[in-house]
Amino acid sequence: AYGDLLNQARELKAPSLEEVVQLLSPPTPADHRALQGAADALRQETLGDVVDIRGAVEFGNRCRKNCHYCGLRKENHRLSRYRMDNEAILAAVGDVYALGIRTVILQSGEELPEATESLVELIKSIKKQFGLRITLSLGERSFEDYRAFRRAGANNYLLRIETTDPEVFERVHPDDDLQERKQHLLWLREAGFLLGTGGIVGLPGQKVASIAQDILYWRDLGANMIGVGPFLPAEHTPLENHPPGDLDLTLRAVAVTRLLCGRAFIPATTSLATLHPDGQRYALEWGANSIMLINTPETYRANYHLYQKKAKVDLDFACRSIKEAGRQLPNYIQGVTC
Ligand code: SAM
Ligand code: SF4
């Protein structure tokens, strides 16, 4: 019966919650392997073997919010805070450009509204100097800000829904509201961005049905990029003693996302690479087609402390996963062969 559902999964016009729960719960080890095979085959057919590589610059760790899972939360007073200025960010973006990478991801904690002007200048400078595609991951801002960032030339915006389960969402987000979060994603689309979203597997109180609901949410949204990673505990946060998300469940969530969201870009997340030494390769084998390198300058890296023992995902690290998964580095990456 699981095999039948798997065969139909790609064609399901409007999968029910029950069907997605079943897809996420293969009853036997052979069914578990069949799920992996089906997701991998669909990835191969629709997107091929080349793994897309992007570069992230985590330019600041100051945050006005207190998400319970995140090491950057405002009330974590043990963290030493930094904010790179635009000149330093441009230098780091230059390093991404020199690798041949075409998309840079600018990520930070949620800054104050006053940051808008300098962010607009930054986006314009990156476009002028490097012509790179720009993905922003800055958290929730006003619709006017989204429009200003888009007009300045940013292309994609990554805002994870984190979880669509109202109770779980509320429990871990003292500053946020699930309906507002959804509204932000609609504003981002209205402002003209390609949408990135995704979620965390293993939040307290989360059930398999919550994850199934998440997958249906990003399918209905038509997200272009979907990042799914395990929860990892961070010191000095309310969830520091909560166990990490389950590896197999996270991989199954990646695979079902691939099956139901077709051509979406699915990154092999840094959190999967951190959870297990082979996590990045596994994700590539379970439907992922993209890797985000971390190009934050060495001096700041340790302070972008989302969770413990964050993996150092550089080009060598990515090459190893790509090679072991039998995949290919894109030809735009310069001077390196895996
Ligand atoms: N502040 C922005 C935001 O919240 O969208 C961007 C930076 S935030 C650190 C990026 C992502 O990190 C979040 O969307 C969240 O899913 C993830 N994250 C934070 N803490 C985590 C943890 N302890 N385990 C797994 N993922 C985590
Ligand atoms: Fe701030 Fe983003 Fe971390 Fe929440 S997830 S505390 S908004 S950096």
Side-chain angles (χ1 to χ4, degrees):
Y2 187 79
D4 292 343
L5 183 61
L6 207 48
N7 289 335
Q8 293 164 20
R10 297 166 54 166
E11 273 86 48
L12 287 173
K13 291 276 176 292
S16 68
L17 184 63
E18 186 48 38
E19 283 167 330
V20 186
V21 170
Q22 277 179 32
L23 281 169
L24 284 170
S25 321
T28 69
D31 290 329
H32 179 81
R33 286 192 296 277
L35 172 60
Q36 183 270 325
D40 198 39
L42 181 59
R43 184 273 311 151
Q44 216 276 331
E45 231 173 82
T46 51
L47 297 158
D49 282 336
V50 173
V51 177
D52 170 67
I53 307 275
R54 301 177 177 192
V57 178
E58 300 151 328
F59 64 86
N61 69 356
R62 294 192 189 133
C63 189
R64 61 193 163 112
K65 287 195 173 160
N66 267 308
C67 307
H68 281 195
Y69 44 81
C70 180
L72 305 193
R73 66 199 303 273
K74 187 178 172 190
E75 278 167 25
N76 181 2
H77 300 296
R78 308 285 189 96
L79 200 63
S80 110
R81 302 283 171 172
Y82 72 93
R83 168 61 155 88
M84 291 163 65
D85 62 20
N86 282 1
E87 205 181 321
I89 300 172
L90 281 166
V93 173
D95 295 341
V96 173
Y97 180 77
L99 293 172
I101 291 175
R102 294 166 179 173
T103 304
V104 67
I105 298 162
L106 301 176
Q107 194 180 81
S108 70
E110 263 193 46
E111 298 194 314
L112 300 171
E114 300 83 82
T116 304
E117 208 175 310
S118 117
L119 289 166
V120 165
E121 285 314 308
L122 175 67
I123 293 163
K124 286 185 185 160
S125 304
I126 293 174
K127 281 289 173 190
K128 196 160 148 218
Q129 283 192 37
F130 305 109
L132 287 167
R133 289 185 66 80
I134 300 174
T135 297
L136 300 177
S137 175
L138 313 174
E140 295 178 8
R141 299 192 68 86
S142 67
F143 179 57
E144 286 66 36
D145 282 3
Y146 297 145
R147 286 233 303 236
F149 297 153
R150 179 73 190 113
R151 272 200 223 106
N155 309 89
N156 306 1
Y157 204 105
L158 177 56
L159 183 71
R160 283 181 168 186
I161 194 78
E162 315 294 2
T163 172
T164 57
D165 184 314
E167 276 174 35
V168 180
F169 189 98
E170 204 175 311
R171 192 175 310 154
V172 296
H173 293 117
D175 313 284
D176 290 327
D177 175 90
L178 180 58
Q179 291 313 318
E180 277 177 28
R181 188 78 159 184
K182 290 182 174 174
Q183 182 59 52
H184 277 271
L185 280 149
L186 298 179
W187 279 340
L188 285 163
R189 161 153 312 140
E190 201 183 324
F193 281 103
L194 289 180
L195 287 188
T197 190
I200 303 181
V201 172
L203 292 171
Q206 199 179 31
K207 301 185 180 66
V208 175
S210 324
I211 297 166
Q213 192 66 64
D214 297 347
I215 297 173
L216 286 173
Y217 169 76
W218 46 72
R219 174 189 159 105
D220 290 347
L221 186 67
N224 305 85
M225 210 261 246
I226 303 160
V228 182
F231 162 76
L232 293 168
E235 282 162 320
H236 314 304
T237 64
L239 297 181
E240 67 180 338
N241 296 318
H242 190 74
D246 182 73
L247 176 66
D248 284 339
L249 181 57
T250 309
L251 292 173
R252 293 202 289 263
V254 170
V256 175
T257 298
R258 169 58 68 215
L259 287 176
L260 298 186
C261 302
R263 298 182 59 84
F265 267 65
I266 302 184
T269 51
T270 309
S271 51
L272 257 171
T274 305
L275 180 69
H276 189 283
D278 295 317
Q280 190 176 60
R281 166 169 66 91
Y282 293 153
L284 293 177
E285 293 170 346
W286 282 74
N289 70 314
S290 169
I291 291 177
M292 179 179 103
L293 305 184
I294 300 190
N295 293 88
T296 307
E298 204 61 48
T299 30
Y300 301 117
R301 255 174 220 226
N303 287 323
Y304 203 79
H305 182 82
L306 309 188
Y307 40 73
Q308 266 114 283
K309 303 191 179 78
K310 189 163 143 218
K312 186 168 188 268
V313 178
D314 57 11
L315 204 45
D316 284 347
F317 190 104
C319 268
R320 183 172 66 86
S321 306
I322 290 173
K323 198 169 162 188
E324 287 173 4
R327 302 277 276 283
Q328 290 161 25
L329 198 65
N331 55 16
Y332 52 77
I333 297 290
Q334 285 156 12
V336 184
T337 42
C338 284

